[in-house]
């Protein structure tokens, strides 16, 4: 079994000060996450899908207000979720619950314009298209062609019709769009990150993880999120998210944005246990506003780890 | 190259699709390349698309719903889900549907030409009937991997 590096444990100790809490965290990161899916409401309604799936699996809908989110409680063979006819037909998308949270928070509406700056593999883009009912407009961008092929395949499978997919570095795309005055109602920056929150599904992160990477990523994230603000409409909303716990990639990035742009942080309401954003990390003080940001730890809801912050441009 | 279909082209397509019981087409149809027709519901103008295409490589737009080759129309799996055809449908047994999802052609007598395949309430693809065999056009990524 792969083990976290001592430096990683040290950092997590600083984040999770309670010993029992830390131990629960260190235990759960070695356990595979639950099998969760999202009903693709562009093709089928949740109750109809549930009825079909219940013929083969035990299904739970953990959140009353989001019936599209389902957990498969039965033991599954490897690849079983991907082989099911309902999956091949695009009736559901295999997606970890924490990865559904950015769109549940940002809530792009039909007829709004939405930019998904780092869109591949398309979990959030397809989720946005579903709640926008294929109306409005989605610009889904990614910089890597290989990842765009997967994005396009997922957009096809889910029956998404309101999107344009572009290949560009996010910062460069935003600079160019700004020049032609193209602006969006809502933007998602689900930034590339060190992936500390995905240890349960991707244990290779135990090996890849190193503190230098966090520093590098923090710079990239600040640049990327700053660029996005330039194409956000006044009064528009930006959701910044990562699947990591590192404060340098989360609160520090948001603090940088608050220092440089007229933004207000909006409260987030989600149907699971959320912890507040940090007000300090290793001597660096953050604005009190950052308490409205949300940290999701795997031991709190039996999910992966995540960070979310929703901002409005004044 | 992205090209919006004009009224004349739409009407021609609408006529051709009547044999499958499809009467309504998506609001915007776009041709990409020589053969692919895509449905696009994005609420932006053609000029906006051109503007964006000047700033970044466009790698996809809307949903691929039809392929037109040699004046014959093939509806994609996701196109079937969007267009909801009601005619020229063959109902399959479980065994036949399983073979279809494995990418196999089906030994099945049917009228010649493109036919829509259905298993229970699901439209599961379009195949070309030679009279005795239905040729399988299901894309690899939509097949059951062994």
């Amino acid at each position: 079994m792969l083990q976290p590096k001592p430096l990683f444990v040290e950092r997590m100790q600083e984040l999770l000060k309670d010993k029992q809490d830390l131990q629960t965290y260190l235990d759960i990161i070695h356990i595979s996450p639950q099998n969760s899916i999202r009903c693709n409401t562009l093709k089928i309604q949740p109750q109809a899908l549930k009825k079909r799936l219940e013929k083969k699996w035990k299904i739970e809908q953990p959140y009353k207000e989001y019936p599209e989110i389902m957990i498969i409680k039965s033991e599954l063979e490897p690849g079983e979720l991907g082989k099911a006819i309902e999956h091949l037909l695009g009736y559901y998308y295999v997606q970890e619950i924490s990865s559904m949270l950015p769109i549940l928070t940002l809530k792009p509406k039909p007829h709004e314009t939405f930019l998904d700056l780092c869109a591949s593999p398309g979990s959030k883009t397809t989720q946005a298209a579903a709640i926008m009912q294929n109306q409005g407009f989605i610009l889904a961008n990614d910089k890597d062609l290989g990842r765009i092929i997967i994005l396009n395949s997922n957009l096809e499978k889910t029956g998404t019709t309101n999107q344009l997919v572009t290949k560009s570095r996010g910062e460069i795309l935003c600079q160019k769009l700004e020049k032609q005055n193209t602006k969006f109602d809502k933007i998602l920056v689900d930034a590339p990150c060190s992936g500390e929150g995905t240890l349960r599904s991707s244990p290779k992160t135990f090996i890849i993880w190193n503190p230098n990477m966090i520093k590098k990523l923090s710079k990239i994230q600040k640049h990327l999120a700053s660029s996005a603000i330039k194409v956000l409409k006044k009064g528009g909303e930006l959701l910044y998210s990562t699947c990591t716990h590192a404060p340098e990639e989360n609160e520090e990035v948001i603090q940088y944005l608050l220092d440089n742009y007229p933004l207000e942080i909006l409260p987030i309401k989600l149907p699971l246990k959320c912890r507040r954003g940090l007000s300090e990390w290793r001597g660096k003080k953050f604005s009190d506003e950052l308490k409205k940001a949300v940290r999701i730890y795997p031991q709190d809801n039996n999910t992966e780890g995540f960070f979310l912050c929703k901002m409005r441009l004044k | 190259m992205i090209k919006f279909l004009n009224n004349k082209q739409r009407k021609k397509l609408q006529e051709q699709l009547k044999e499958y019981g499809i009467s309504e087409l998506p609001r915007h149809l776009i041709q990409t390349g020589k053969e692919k027709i895509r449905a696009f519901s994005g609420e932006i103008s053609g000029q906006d698309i051109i503007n964006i295409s000047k700033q970044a490589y466009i790698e996809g737009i809307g949903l691929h719903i039809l392929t037109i080759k040699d004046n014959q129309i093939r509806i994609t799996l996701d196109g079937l889900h969007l267009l909801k055809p009601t005619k020229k449908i063959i109902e399959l047994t479980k065994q036949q549907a399983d073979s279809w999802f494995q990418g196999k052609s089906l030994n099945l007598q049917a009228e010649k030409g493109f036919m829509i395949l259905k298993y229970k309430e699901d439209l599961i693809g379009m195949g070309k009937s030679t009279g005795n065999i239905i040729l399988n056009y299901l894309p690899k990524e939509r097949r059951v991997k062994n």
Side-chain angles (χ1 to χ4, degrees):
Chain A
M1 189 165 68
L2 293 168
Q3 291 299 329
K5 293 178 181 172
L7 258 178
F8 174 78
V9 177
E10 198 181 291
R11 286 171 60 90
M12 288 312 295
Q13 258 167 346
E14 287 180 57
L15 286 172
L16 305 170
K17 294 191 172 70
D18 180 272
K19 272 188 181 172
Q20 184 58 48
D21 191 25
L22 177 68
Q23 194 51 56
T24 318
Y25 168 78
L26 292 173
D27 291 341
I28 203 167
I29 55 174
H30 296 290
I31 303 167
S32 294
Q34 306 182 92
N35 290 304
S36 50
I37 59 170
R38 174 175 51 80
C39 170
N40 175 22
T41 51
L42 292 176
K43 289 199 175 184
I44 191 168
Q45 288 311 300
Q47 281 322 103
L49 178 67
K50 189 184 176 213
K51 206 173 155 189
R52 288 180 64 138
L53 297 183
E54 273 176 338
K55 288 176 188 161
K56 46 189 162 196
W57 303 319
K58 188 169 180 248
I59 306 292
E60 194 178 90
Q61 287 167 298
Y63 312 113
K64 222 178 180 181
E65 58 274 58
Y66 301 109
E68 71 273 23
I69 302 175
M70 298 179 196
I71 296 173
I72 319 296
K73 299 302 270 186
S74 313
E75 284 288 318
L76 298 175
E77 297 288 320
E80 193 176 339
L81 273 181
K83 279 183 193 172
I85 180 172
E86 290 81 4
H87 183 251
L88 297 170
L89 294 175
Y91 292 175
Y92 68 76
Y93 193 102
V94 181
Q95 189 174 2
E96 213 284 322
I97 288 177
S98 60
S99 144
M100 302 179 199
L101 303 178
I103 296 299
L104 298 185
T105 305
L106 191 58
K107 295 186 176 80
K109 296 186 183 80
H111 309 301
E112 283 187 334
T113 52
F114 169 57
L115 169 63
D116 191 351
L117 201 52
C118 316
S120 297
S123 321
K124 292 144 193 119
T125 319
T126 54
Q127 188 184 2
I131 70 164
M132 291 167 82
Q133 298 160 35
N134 259 339
Q135 296 166 36
F137 172 62
I138 298 177
L139 182 59
N141 179 70
D142 207 277
K143 64 174 186 176
D144 182 87
L145 188 59
R147 287 167 60 81
I148 284 175
I149 291 169
I150 300 167
L151 168 67
N152 274 332
S153 166
N154 284 326
L155 288 164
E156 294 281 330
K157 193 189 273 189
T158 51
T160 302
T161 58
N162 63 340
Q163 88 292 2
L164 198 63
V165 176
T166 52
K167 176 184 165 291
S168 176
R169 278 183 53 196
E171 308 89 304
I172 292 172
L173 176 71
C174 291
Q175 279 167 19
K176 288 180 172 176
L177 291 175
E178 186 196 5
K179 276 185 193 160
Q180 63 180 39
N181 205 28
T182 300
K183 302 223 170 189
F184 295 85
D185 297 305
K186 298 211 168 134
I187 300 178
L188 172 63
V189 179
D190 186 40
C193 69
S194 55
E196 293 172 353
T198 64
L199 288 165
R200 297 181 68 185
S201 60
S202 172
K204 67 173 190 281
T205 309
F206 282 117
I207 302 165
I208 300 166
W209 185 91
N210 74 73
N212 291 335
M213 183 170 71
I214 292 173
K215 276 186 200 162
K216 273 185 201 165
L217 283 163
S218 179
K219 272 188 195 168
I220 294 170
Q221 290 151 347
K222 284 171 191 163
H223 196 194
L224 197 60
S226 303
S227 314
I229 291 167
K230 290 168 188 158
V231 291
L232 184 63
K233 284 181 186 171
K234 219 173 174 184
E237 291 172 6
L238 178 121
L239 195 288
Y240 176 83
S241 61
T242 67
C243 54
T244 200
H245 303 301
E248 294 87 340
E249 299 182 61
N250 296 324
E251 286 86 351
E252 193 180 307
V253 174
I254 306 299
Q255 186 61 54
Y256 174 82
L257 299 178
L258 292 179
D259 291 342
N260 290 284
Y261 300 95
L263 293 166
E264 60 172 322
I265 300 185
L266 302 173
I268 293 175
K269 208 178 158 196
L270 288 167
L272 37 67
K273 183 179 172 184
C274 302
R275 301 197 199 188
R276 286 175 178 182
L278 304 180
S279 49
E280 189 193 352
W281 173 251
R282 294 190 163 177
K284 273 189 189 168
K285 300 264 185 210
F286 304 126
S287 159
D288 261 5
E289 279 278 284
L290 261 152
K291 287 180 182 163
K292 293 182 197 160
V294 156
R295 295 185 146 257
I296 305 285
Y297 287 98
Q299 70 274 30
D300 288 343
N301 308 285
N302 194 11
T303 61
E304 303 245 60
F306 228 76
F307 174 87
L308 302 141
C309 184
K310 187 178 175 184
M311 292 157 273
R312 183 188 288 140
L313 187 63
K314 291 181 202 165
Chain B
M1 190 192 68
I2 293 169
K3 198 179 90 183
F4 280 87
L5 260 57
N6 60 32
N7 278 343
K8 196 179 162 189
Q9 291 166 316
R10 280 178 67 91
K11 270 189 183 169
K12 188 184 170 195
L13 211 50
Q14 206 153 11
E15 274 306 309
Q16 287 174 293
L17 287 169
K18 270 185 185 163
E19 66 172 320
Y20 298 104
I22 297 165
S23 51
E24 253 186 74
L25 288 181
R27 197 154 57 99
H28 296 300
L29 292 173
I30 287 174
Q31 185 172 353
T32 55
K34 279 184 183 172
E35 302 168 347
K36 287 185 178 177
I37 304 292
R38 312 183 74 92
F40 180 62
S41 61
E43 293 168 14
I44 58 163
S45 67
Q47 188 55 47
D48 285 335
I49 295 173
I50 292 168
N51 289 344
I52 292 172
S53 72
K54 284 178 185 166
Q55 310 304 337
Y57 295 107
I58 291 188
E59 296 290 346
I61 182 167
L63 180 69
H64 176 205
I65 56 167
L66 307 168
T67 300
I68 304 176
K69 204 174 178 182
D70 304 326
N71 214 27
Q72 285 189 309
I73 292 181
R74 179 152 52 89
I75 310 172
T76 65
L77 175 55
D78 303 299
L80 292 173
H81 295 163
L82 189 76
L83 300 171
K84 299 182 171 57
T86 55
K87 292 180 187 168
K88 295 191 83 170
I89 293 173
I90 301 173
E91 305 243 357
L92 301 183
T93 62
K94 176 159 186 350
Q95 201 181 6
Q96 288 167 333
D98 286 345
S99 295
W100 179 257
F101 277 113
Q102 284 164 13
K104 293 176 186 165
S105 293
L106 305 175
N107 289 317
L108 215 148
Q109 291 209 329
E111 67 174 280
K112 282 185 182 177
F114 281 102
M115 300 296 289
I116 292 157
L117 303 171
K118 190 177 183 182
Y119 175 60
K120 291 189 177 170
E121 66 264 52
D122 300 318
L123 298 173
I124 62 171
M126 195 172 207
K128 191 175 186 179
S129 166
T130 60
N132 300 313
I133 295 171
I134 311 272
L135 302 172
N136 196 321
Y137 285 92
L138 200 62
K140 277 186 188 156
E141 65 271 19
R142 306 300 280 274
R143 296 178 189 174
V144 177
K145 292 173 189 82
N146 292 317

